[in-house]
Short mmCIF file of all heavy atoms in Angstrom, two decimals:
data_model
loop_
_atom_site.label_atom_id
_atom_site.label_comp_id
_atom_site.label_asym_id
_atom_site.label_seq_id
_atom_site.Cartn_x
_atom_site.Cartn_y
_atom_site.Cartn_z
N ALA J 1 79.75 129.77 106.62
CA ALA J 1 79.31 128.45 107.05
C ALA J 1 79.68 127.46 105.94
O ALA J 1 79.37 127.69 104.78
CB ALA J 1 77.80 128.44 107.27
N PRO J 2 80.40 126.37 106.27
CA PRO J 2 80.84 125.45 105.23
C PRO J 2 79.72 124.93 104.34
O PRO J 2 79.92 124.72 103.14
CB PRO J 2 81.48 124.30 106.03
CG PRO J 2 81.94 124.95 107.29
CD PRO J 2 80.91 126.00 107.59
N SER J 3 78.51 124.75 104.90
CA SER J 3 77.40 124.23 104.10
C SER J 3 76.98 125.20 103.00
O SER J 3 76.33 124.80 102.03
CB SER J 3 76.20 123.93 105.00
OG SER J 3 75.79 125.11 105.68
N ASP J 4 77.36 126.46 103.13
CA ASP J 4 76.99 127.47 102.15
C ASP J 4 78.00 127.59 101.01
O ASP J 4 77.77 128.34 100.06
CB ASP J 4 76.84 128.85 102.81
CG ASP J 4 75.71 128.89 103.82
OD1 ASP J 4 74.80 128.06 103.71
OD2 ASP J 4 75.77 129.74 104.73
N LEU J 5 79.12 126.90 101.12
CA LEU J 5 80.21 127.11 100.17
C LEU J 5 80.03 126.29 98.91
O LEU J 5 79.84 125.07 98.98
CB LEU J 5 81.55 126.77 100.82
CG LEU J 5 81.95 127.60 102.05
CD1 LEU J 5 83.32 127.16 102.54
CD2 LEU J 5 81.94 129.08 101.74
N PRO J 6 80.16 126.89 97.74
CA PRO J 6 80.11 126.15 96.48
C PRO J 6 81.48 125.53 96.18
O PRO J 6 82.48 125.88 96.82
CB PRO J 6 79.77 127.24 95.46
CG PRO J 6 80.45 128.45 96.01
CD PRO J 6 80.31 128.34 97.52
N PRO J 7 81.54 124.61 95.22
CA PRO J 7 82.84 124.11 94.79
C PRO J 7 83.62 125.20 94.07
O PRO J 7 83.02 126.15 93.53
CB PRO J 7 82.49 122.96 93.84
CG PRO J 7 81.10 123.27 93.37
CD PRO J 7 80.42 123.97 94.51
N PRO J 8 84.94 125.11 94.05
CA PRO J 8 85.74 126.14 93.38
C PRO J 8 85.57 126.08 91.87
O PRO J 8 85.25 125.02 91.31
CB PRO J 8 87.18 125.78 93.78
CG PRO J 8 87.14 124.32 94.06
CD PRO J 8 85.78 124.06 94.65
N PRO J 9 85.78 127.19 91.18
CA PRO J 9 85.71 127.16 89.71
C PRO J 9 86.80 126.27 89.14
O PRO J 9 87.88 126.13 89.73
CB PRO J 9 85.91 128.63 89.33
CG PRO J 9 86.59 129.25 90.51
CD PRO J 9 86.12 128.52 91.71
N LEU J 10 86.51 125.67 87.99
CA LEU J 10 87.51 124.81 87.36
C LEU J 10 88.72 125.62 86.91
O LEU J 10 89.86 125.15 86.98
CB LEU J 10 86.90 124.08 86.16
CG LEU J 10 85.90 122.97 86.50
CD1 LEU J 10 85.42 122.29 85.23
CD2 LEU J 10 86.53 121.94 87.44
N ALA J 11 88.49 126.83 86.43
CA ALA J 11 89.60 127.66 85.97
C ALA J 11 90.26 128.35 87.15
O ALA J 11 89.61 129.05 87.91
CB ALA J 11 89.09 128.69 84.97
N LEU J 12 91.55 128.14 87.31
CA LEU J 12 92.30 128.85 88.34
C LEU J 12 92.46 130.31 87.92
O LEU J 12 92.37 130.64 86.74
CB LEU J 12 93.68 128.21 88.52
CG LEU J 12 93.69 126.81 89.14
CD1 LEU J 12 95.09 126.21 89.05
CD2 LEU J 12 93.21 126.85 90.59
N PRO J 13 92.70 131.21 88.88
CA PRO J 13 92.93 132.62 88.51
C PRO J 13 94.13 132.76 87.59
O PRO J 13 95.03 131.90 87.59
CB PRO J 13 93.19 133.30 89.87
CG PRO J 13 92.62 132.38 90.89
CD PRO J 13 92.76 131.00 90.34
N PRO J 14 94.18 133.82 86.81
CA PRO J 14 95.38 134.08 86.00
C PRO J 14 96.63 134.14 86.89
O PRO J 14 96.60 134.72 87.97
CB PRO J 14 95.09 135.43 85.36
CG PRO J 14 93.60 135.55 85.38
CD PRO J 14 93.15 134.86 86.62
N ARG J 15 97.68 133.53 86.44
CA ARG J 15 98.95 133.45 87.18
C ARG J 15 98.71 133.03 88.64
O ARG J 15 99.16 133.67 89.59
CB ARG J 15 99.71 134.78 87.12
CG ARG J 15 101.21 134.60 87.38
CD ARG J 15 102.04 135.81 87.05
NE ARG J 15 103.45 135.46 87.18
CZ ARG J 15 104.11 135.47 88.34
NH1 ARG J 15 103.50 135.84 89.45
NH2 ARG J 15 105.38 135.11 88.39
N ALA J 16 98.02 131.93 88.79
CA ALA J 16 97.73 131.41 90.13
C ALA J 16 98.97 130.76 90.74
O ALA J 16 99.87 130.27 90.04
CB ALA J 16 96.61 130.39 90.05
N ALA J 17 99.00 130.76 92.08
CA ALA J 17 99.96 129.98 92.85
C ALA J 17 99.17 129.07 93.76
O ALA J 17 98.26 129.53 94.47
CB ALA J 17 100.87 130.89 93.67
N LEU J 18 99.48 127.79 93.75
CA LEU J 18 98.75 126.83 94.57
C LEU J 18 99.54 126.49 95.83
O LEU J 18 100.73 126.17 95.77
CB LEU J 18 98.52 125.53 93.78
CG LEU J 18 97.26 125.43 92.93
CD1 LEU J 18 97.27 124.10 92.17
CD2 LEU J 18 96.00 125.55 93.79
N PHE J 19 98.85 126.57 96.97
CA PHE J 19 99.41 126.18 98.26
C PHE J 19 98.53 125.07 98.81
O PHE J 19 97.35 125.29 99.10
CB PHE J 19 99.45 127.38 99.20
CG PHE J 19 100.31 128.50 98.69
CD1 PHE J 19 99.75 129.54 97.96
CD2 PHE J 19 101.68 128.49 98.90
CE1 PHE J 19 100.54 130.57 97.47
CE2 PHE J 19 102.47 129.51 98.41
CZ PHE J 19 101.91 130.56 97.69
N LEU J 20 99.08 123.87 98.92
CA LEU J 20 98.30 122.68 99.22
C LEU J 20 98.72 122.05 100.53
O LEU J 20 99.91 121.76 100.75
CB LEU J 20 98.46 121.65 98.09
CG LEU J 20 98.14 122.13 96.67
CD1 LEU J 20 98.51 121.05 95.65
CD2 LEU J 20 96.68 122.52 96.55
N ASP J 21 97.76 121.82 101.40
CA ASP J 21 97.99 120.99 102.58
C ASP J 21 98.19 119.54 102.09
O ASP J 21 97.90 119.21 100.93
CB ASP J 21 96.76 121.10 103.50
CG ASP J 21 96.89 120.26 104.74
OD1 ASP J 21 98.00 120.15 105.29
OD2 ASP J 21 95.87 119.69 105.18
N LEU J 22 98.66 118.67 102.98
CA LEU J 22 98.93 117.29 102.58
C LEU J 22 97.86 116.33 103.12
O LEU J 22 96.99 115.88 102.38
CB LEU J 22 100.33 116.88 103.05
CG LEU J 22 100.81 115.47 102.70
CD1 LEU J 22 100.59 115.13 101.24
CD2 LEU J 22 102.26 115.30 103.09
N ASP J 23 97.88 116.05 104.41
CA ASP J 23 96.95 115.08 104.98
C ASP J 23 95.51 115.61 104.93
O ASP J 23 95.23 116.72 105.39
CB ASP J 23 97.33 114.76 106.42
CG ASP J 23 98.66 114.05 106.52
OD1 ASP J 23 98.70 112.84 106.28
OD2 ASP J 23 99.67 114.73 106.79
N GLY J 24 94.62 114.80 104.37
CA GLY J 24 93.23 115.20 104.24
C GLY J 24 92.96 116.06 103.02
O GLY J 24 91.81 116.36 102.71
N THR J 25 94.02 116.45 102.30
CA THR J 25 93.89 117.31 101.13
C THR J 25 94.46 116.65 99.89
O THR J 25 93.78 116.47 98.89
CB THR J 25 94.58 118.66 101.38
OG1 THR J 25 93.96 119.31 102.50
CG2 THR J 25 94.48 119.57 100.16
N LEU J 26 95.73 116.26 99.96
CA LEU J 26 96.35 115.51 98.87
C LEU J 26 96.40 114.01 99.17
O LEU J 26 96.69 113.21 98.28
CB LEU J 26 97.78 116.00 98.63
CG LEU J 26 97.93 117.36 97.94
CD1 LEU J 26 99.41 117.75 97.90
CD2 LEU J 26 97.34 117.34 96.54
N ALA J 27 96.14 113.65 100.40
CA ALA J 27 96.21 112.25 100.82
C ALA J 27 95.14 111.99 101.86
O ALA J 27 94.70 112.91 102.56
CB ALA J 27 97.59 111.93 101.40
N PRO J 28 94.70 110.74 102.00
CA PRO J 28 93.69 110.43 103.01
C PRO J 28 94.27 110.50 104.41
O PRO J 28 95.47 110.33 104.62
CB PRO J 28 93.28 108.99 102.65
CG PRO J 28 94.49 108.41 101.99
CD PRO J 28 95.11 109.54 101.23
N ILE J 29 93.40 110.77 105.38
CA ILE J 29 93.79 110.67 106.79
C ILE J 29 93.86 109.19 107.15
O ILE J 29 92.91 108.45 106.96
CB ILE J 29 92.78 111.39 107.70
CG1 ILE J 29 92.68 112.88 107.33
CG2 ILE J 29 93.14 111.19 109.15
CD1 ILE J 29 93.86 113.70 107.72
N MET J 30 95.00 108.78 107.68
CA MET J 30 95.20 107.38 108.06
C MET J 30 95.28 107.25 109.59
O MET J 30 95.56 108.23 110.28
CB MET J 30 96.48 106.85 107.42
CG MET J 30 96.49 106.92 105.90
SD MET J 30 95.26 105.85 105.13
CE MET J 30 96.04 104.25 105.34
N PRO J 31 95.04 106.04 110.12
CA PRO J 31 95.11 105.86 111.57
C PRO J 31 96.46 106.26 112.16
O PRO J 31 96.53 106.77 113.27
CB PRO J 31 94.84 104.36 111.75
CG PRO J 31 94.02 103.99 110.55
CD PRO J 31 94.56 104.82 109.43
N ARG J 32 97.54 106.02 111.41
CA ARG J 32 98.88 106.39 111.85
C ARG J 32 99.55 107.21 110.75
O ARG J 32 99.46 106.85 109.57
CB ARG J 32 99.73 105.15 112.17
CG ARG J 32 99.14 104.26 113.27
CD ARG J 32 100.00 103.04 113.52
NE ARG J 32 101.30 103.40 114.07
CZ ARG J 32 101.54 103.53 115.38
NH1 ARG J 32 100.57 103.34 116.26
NH2 ARG J 32 102.74 103.86 115.80
N PRO J 33 100.22 108.31 111.07
CA PRO J 33 100.81 109.18 110.04
C PRO J 33 101.76 108.46 109.09
O PRO J 33 101.81 108.78 107.90
CB PRO J 33 101.55 110.24 110.87
CG PRO J 33 100.83 110.28 112.17
CD PRO J 33 100.39 108.87 112.43
N GLU J 34 102.51 107.49 109.60
CA GLU J 34 103.49 106.80 108.75
C GLU J 34 102.84 105.90 107.71
O GLU J 34 103.51 105.41 106.78
CB GLU J 34 104.48 106.00 109.60
CG GLU J 34 103.87 104.83 110.36
CD GLU J 34 103.40 105.22 111.75
OE1 GLU J 34 103.15 106.41 112.00
OE2 GLU J 34 103.28 104.30 112.59
N GLN J 35 101.53 105.66 107.84
CA GLN J 35 100.84 104.83 106.84
C GLN J 35 100.56 105.58 105.54
O GLN J 35 100.18 104.96 104.55
CB GLN J 35 99.52 104.32 107.44
CG GLN J 35 99.72 103.32 108.57
CD GLN J 35 98.42 102.92 109.24
OE1 GLN J 35 97.47 103.71 109.32
NE2 GLN J 35 98.37 101.69 109.74
N VAL J 36 100.72 106.88 105.53
CA VAL J 36 100.58 107.65 104.29
C VAL J 36 101.88 107.57 103.53
O VAL J 36 102.95 107.85 104.07
CB VAL J 36 100.23 109.12 104.59
CG1 VAL J 36 100.11 109.92 103.30
CG2 VAL J 36 98.94 109.22 105.39
N GLY J 37 101.79 107.18 102.26
CA GLY J 37 102.99 107.01 101.46
C GLY J 37 102.81 107.52 100.04
O GLY J 37 101.80 108.15 99.72
N PRO J 38 103.79 107.27 99.18
CA PRO J 38 103.72 107.72 97.80
C PRO J 38 102.50 107.18 97.07
O PRO J 38 101.97 106.11 97.41
CB PRO J 38 105.02 107.18 97.18
CG PRO J 38 105.96 107.03 98.35
CD PRO J 38 105.08 106.62 99.49
N ASP J 39 102.05 107.92 96.07
CA ASP J 39 100.87 107.55 95.29
C ASP J 39 101.12 107.96 93.84
O ASP J 39 101.48 109.12 93.58
CB ASP J 39 99.63 108.24 95.85
CG ASP J 39 98.39 107.97 95.02
OD1 ASP J 39 97.76 106.91 95.24
OD2 ASP J 39 98.05 108.81 94.16
N ALA J 40 100.92 107.04 92.91
CA ALA J 40 101.26 107.29 91.51
C ALA J 40 100.41 108.41 90.90
O ALA J 40 100.93 109.27 90.18
CB ALA J 40 101.11 106.01 90.69
N ARG J 41 99.11 108.39 91.18
CA ARG J 41 98.25 109.43 90.60
C ARG J 41 98.63 110.81 91.13
O ARG J 41 98.73 111.78 90.37
CB ARG J 41 96.78 109.15 90.92
CG ARG J 41 95.84 110.20 90.33
CD ARG J 41 94.44 110.16 90.87
NE ARG J 41 93.60 111.18 90.27
CZ ARG J 41 92.40 111.53 90.71
NH1 ARG J 41 91.89 110.90 91.76
NH2 ARG J 41 91.72 112.50 90.12
#
């Protein structure tokens, strides 16, 4: 159940590989997909 989940540990596992979704994960969900663009941070 999502409400039971803690935040992830700050330390990644040894020799970790990161697989990241984009919309809603690395970028906000926007009303139209083309409104998501580059971000300096």
Side-chain angles (χ1 to χ4, degrees):
S3 59
D4 296 336
L5 299 182
L10 289 182
L12 291 171
R15 203 168 187 277
L18 271 177
F19 299 94
L20 306 173
D21 179 37
L22 181 49
D23 294 281
T25 299
L26 286 175
I29 300 288
M30 301 294 285
R32 300 179 66 89
E34 66 269 21
Q35 292 174 329
V36 179
D39 176 83
R41 181 193 180 192

